[in-house]
Amino acid sequence: MTKPKLRIGLIGTGFMGKAHAFGFASAPRVFDLPYDLELHTVADITVDAARRAATAFGFANATSDWRGIIDNPEIDVVDITAPN
């Protein structure tokens, strides 16, 4: 049986962003989740930084505009790990 997807957007790719991305990637191996997690889009201060993070963390998309994650109807979860 196919599980529904839960699409994740991550804002911020520093230490905490890395920790959360690792958590999302490893959660299905540890827990019996009711969803398949999809690492959809990551945002960082520049497009280049976001692209590097997307490649390193396994996200499908990258952006420098965090509003694009907030406004994207395809994204179900917005994880904000940017500094205060």
Side-chain angles (χ1 to χ4, degrees):
M1 185 169 135
T2 304
K3 295 178 185 179
K5 288 188 180 189
L6 192 64
R7 293 171 185 90
I8 299 165
L10 178 68
I11 300 172
T13 64
F15 176 83
M16 196 53 60
K18 290 175 187 175
H20 285 221
F22 176 76
F24 289 130
S26 62
R29 294 180 183 100
V30 178
F31 302 104
D32 183 22
L33 301 176
Y35 299 97
D36 285 330
L37 302 183
E38 179 183 312
L39 302 178
H40 191 284
T41 303
V42 63
D44 206 332
I45 195 78
T46 67
V47 173
D48 288 338
R51 285 184 184 140
R52 284 191 302 272
T55 299
F57 301 168
F59 279 79
N61 305 291
T63 184
S64 62
D65 184 5
W66 61 268
R67 291 169 196 88
I69 290 178
I70 301 292
D71 294 334
N72 189 332
E74 293 181 2
I75 296 175
D76 303 302
V77 173
V78 176
D79 185 10
I80 304 171
T81 63
N84 295 345

